[in-house]
Amino acid sequence: MLSTASGRLLWREVTLFDGQQQLPEPMAVLVEQGRVAALWAEKDFDPVLAVGTEEAGRGGVMTPGLVDCHTHLVYAGDRAVEFEQRLQGVSYEQIARAGGGILSTVRATRAATEDELIAASLPRLDALLADGVTTVEIKSGYGLTLEDELKMLRVARRLGTLRPVRVVTTLLGAHALPPEYVGNSDGYIDLVCQQMIPAAAQQGLADAVDVFCEGIAFSPAQCERVFQAAIAHGLAIKAHAEQLSNLGGSALAARYGALSVDHIEYLDEAGVRAMAESGTAAVLLPGAFHVLRETQQPPIALLRQYGIPMALASDANPGTSPICLPTLMANLACTFFRLTPTEALAGMTAHAAYALGHKELGRIAVGAPADLCLWDVRHPAELAYAIQAGRLRQRVFAGVVTYVR
Ligand code: DI6
Ligand code: FE
């Protein structure tokens, strides 16, 4: 790690993407005590103000540290066999209904100790960090018992102490119906609402609660009960909704003030309108779209028309998005969904932070936490245009340079 006694670091002549847009001129950036202390256009740079600073970098593109606002990073095992089955024409839904899919990862995750889950998850986290992530959301959802869900959340929290990264955790107890509850899905929702949510809230293990609202998962009525329990325990709400069909889960989540609804390929205008009214973000997950070879496009034109913040995330998970390269998501979102590179970068910075309810993150502004990336590219758009690992020159977390290439 690189830091100075004064804690004052200076970057010169950077092309700056502030989380929403590229600034028109080369900039100088001063970081002090973990925060962005000053920003100047180079032509206005006053060396007197920068006395006692250490020059930490010159040139390159500076962006906010990337925010990966939707991951299932903690799990054991892998699903390479299912990948081959899907290539032979078996669908994700067929695999799930046959007891594979999420449930195969549940079996492996239940069998793993916390230390084993840490060991399995750290390389994935390191891959995200090496591609610029400074904040990552991590969901449970492969335990599906009280103890195993709490175990996953503890592992997620511990990951945040093992690496310089902000970890936001989400309880996704309502991810899939565990085998013990076949034929009694309402009984399982009782467990989520009456035991998992209260325990996760009391132990400070979850920041939010998520659901999978889908034919192969839980109904809108069941998700609504989960939302009510989350609110009763002071936890934020998110939803996997409208991924494979339109059940109206997004509008429901929005009515409960959800931070975000995620996937949303089948979202309709009524859902978009409900999101606009509640300020709910849209999280696009082009990795899952790619892996599942989906063709149904999320309603990007409507989201733009209603001014919905569009975030992008890796959805890193063993089934539908075994991908730990966040900048690839920018490329896929542009290629598949026709986002502009600027929208894609905002989607991985300011809008992703918004989707986590952390509006202070994902932007470069005076006073904001100094989570920054310096990239060896010529323009911000290049991060979306080219698919390439290893472009990160420096990663700054809370004002400390934690990675130097
Ligand atoms: N949607 C997803 O993309 C992940 N979960 C979900 O509800 C996939 C999880 C998996 O297949 O393991
Ligand atoms: Fe997901």
Side-chain angles (χ1 to χ4, degrees), residues 216-279:
I216 56 169
F218 297 99
S219 70
Q222 291 171 326
C223 294
E224 184 163 14
R225 290 180 51 208
V226 175
F227 296 154
Q228 288 166 345
I231 288 170
H233 288 86
L235 298 176
I237 287 171
K238 302 175 86 66
H240 285 70
E242 272 72 72
Q243 179 185 11
L244 307 170
S245 62
N246 182 2
L247 298 183
S250 299
L252 173 71
R255 281 203 300 280
Y256 279 90
L259 288 174
S260 73
V261 294
D262 304 37
H263 285 293
I264 59 165
E265 280 84 345
Y266 287 83
L267 181 65
D268 60 18
E269 186 161 3
V272 177
R273 203 177 301 120
M275 291 165 66
E277 282 164 14
S278 59

Side-chain angles (χ1 to χ4, degrees), residues 70-72 137 139 142 172 175 210 212 240 243 262-263 285 288 314-317 320-321:
H70 178 143
T71 85
H72 309 251
E137 185 256 19
K139 301 177 193 297
Y142 294 120
L172 178 55
H175 192 199
D210 197 346
F212 189 14
H240 285 70
Q243 179 185 11
D262 304 37
H263 285 293
L285 303 170
S314 70
D315 196 15
N317 78 70
T320 62
S321 192

Side-chain angles (χ1 to χ4, degrees), residues 335-402:
T335 307
F336 289 145
F337 303 155
R338 296 285 186 267
L339 261 63
T340 66
T342 297
E343 285 175 322
L345 288 178
M348 303 176 70
T349 54
H351 291 167
Y354 180 97
L356 293 179
H358 281 283
K359 293 177 193 166
E360 77 285 8
L361 300 176
R363 60 204 193 93
I364 301 178
V366 173
D371 293 357
L372 308 167
C373 289
L374 189 66
W375 306 88
D376 279 325
V377 297
R378 280 162 301 244
H379 330 280
E382 218 176 308
L383 294 171
Y385 149 72
I387 300 174
Q388 191 174 328
R391 294 174 291 185
L392 187 65
R393 193 199 308 172
Q394 290 177 347
R395 178 183 172 282
V396 182
F397 177 71
V400 177
V401 180
T402 56

Side-chain angles (χ1 to χ4, degrees), residues 152-215:
M152 287 189 70
L153 293 171
R154 281 193 298 270
V155 168
R157 285 271 196 248
R158 255 178 78 193
L159 288 171
T161 68
L162 295 173
R163 292 293 185 270
V165 65
R166 298 173 207 278
V167 171
V168 176
T169 58
T170 302
L171 172 69
L172 178 55
H175 192 199
L177 188 66
E180 309 80 61
Y181 282 86
V182 169
N184 182 20
S185 61
D186 285 327
Y188 181 66
I189 292 297
D190 288 341
L191 175 71
V192 172
C193 295
Q194 293 164 17
Q195 295 190 42
M196 290 182 190
I197 290 174
Q202 273 153 26
Q203 295 173 38
L205 286 173
D207 302 305
V209 173
D210 197 346
V211 299
F212 189 14
C213 186
E214 194 58 66

